[in-house]
Amino acid sequence: MNFEAFLVSQEPDFKNRFLNDIYNFSDEDIENTHDFIQLLFPLDVQSNNAFHGYYLDTEKSVRDIRSNDLAQKNIIKSSKWFLDFLERDDSWLRWHDHNYLRITRIIKSLGLLVSVDEANIFYNLVLELIDDDRKEKINPVTLKFWKEALKV
């Protein structure tokens, strides 16, 4: 899969979806579809949680995305889109939730492909969604993973 072409809406993903198709997911689709997050927020390591196996397998693919302004803008747009989802439904604020892995991935992908500043912005916006009462409900290991994800 050509991530750069997908991230600038020139090519669909492996399920023939373009970025806008994913942006039009319902909250239920976002919550229950598990094959898109690795495509919106690719990393240079293969995911243990994705059956499709797509990842940025060359340094060139990372460099190409880092040098493509539209790809970077769309990764940022995708992070805001996902943050909007988290704001609409707080059911993810509990001891363990698969969205925690997604948040970690987004922080890492932003740091790798856009900038550490953008990763920090997303990280801080996620923390703003968690008030003090809810912070106790989240596994402290998760909070540590998010903080460590900033060190890409």
Side-chain angles (χ1 to χ4, degrees), residues 97-109:
D97 191 270
H98 72 106
N99 286 303
Y100 296 164
L101 295 173
R102 291 171 164 185
I103 291 167
T104 304
R105 169 176 279 277
I106 294 168
I107 294 167
K108 286 181 176 182
S109 183

Side-chain angles (χ1 to χ4, degrees), residues 82-146:
F82 192 76
L83 192 65
D84 287 342
F85 162 71
L86 295 176
E87 287 177 311
R88 287 191 300 270
D89 180 2
D90 65 359
S91 64
W92 61 276
L93 293 169
R94 54 188 173 181
W95 191 253
H96 179 74
D97 191 270
H98 72 106
N99 286 303
Y100 296 164
L101 295 173
R102 291 171 164 185
I103 291 167
T104 304
R105 169 176 279 277
I106 294 168
I107 294 167
K108 286 181 176 182
S109 183
L110 284 166
L112 175 69
L113 300 173
V114 181
S115 72
V116 173
D117 288 341
E118 285 297 333
N120 272 300
I121 289 168
F122 180 81
Y123 168 77
N124 287 314
L125 289 171
V126 168
L127 291 183
E128 285 179 18
L129 296 176
I130 307 168
D131 60 29
D132 288 337
D133 292 337
R134 290 183 173 149
K135 198 172 246 183
E136 292 177 10
K137 293 180 182 178
I138 296 178
N139 184 331
V141 173
T142 295
L143 295 171
K144 182 180 174 190
F145 272 113
W146 294 347

Side-chain angles (χ1 to χ4, degrees), residues 6-9 18-24 30 36-37 40-41 69-85 88 106 110 114 118 121-122 125:
F6 171 72
L7 291 169
V8 297
S9 294
F18 284 88
L19 280 178
N20 281 334
D21 297 324
I22 294 172
Y23 291 156
N24 287 322
I30 296 169
F36 71 91
I37 203 79
L40 293 179
F41 306 101
D69 289 339
L70 181 56
Q72 290 190 342
K73 286 178 186 173
N74 283 339
I75 294 169
I76 294 167
K77 179 180 178 179
S78 295
S79 71
K80 292 176 181 177
W81 169 81
F82 192 76
L83 192 65
D84 287 342
F85 162 71
R88 287 191 300 270
I106 294 168
L110 284 166
V114 181
E118 285 297 333
I121 289 168
F122 180 81
L125 289 171

Side-chain angles (χ1 to χ4, degrees), residues 1-4 38-39 41-47 52-65 105 112-113:
M1 184 176 142
N2 183 332
F3 278 100
E4 182 182 11
Q38 300 86 4
L39 308 178
F41 306 101
L43 293 173
D44 56 354
V45 293
Q46 196 165 12
S47 171
H52 52 66
Y54 294 110
Y55 69 103
L56 300 170
D57 58 353
T58 67
E59 288 183 29
K60 182 184 182 316
S61 59
V62 173
R63 281 193 313 271
D64 289 348
I65 293 170
R105 169 176 279 277
L112 175 69
L113 300 173

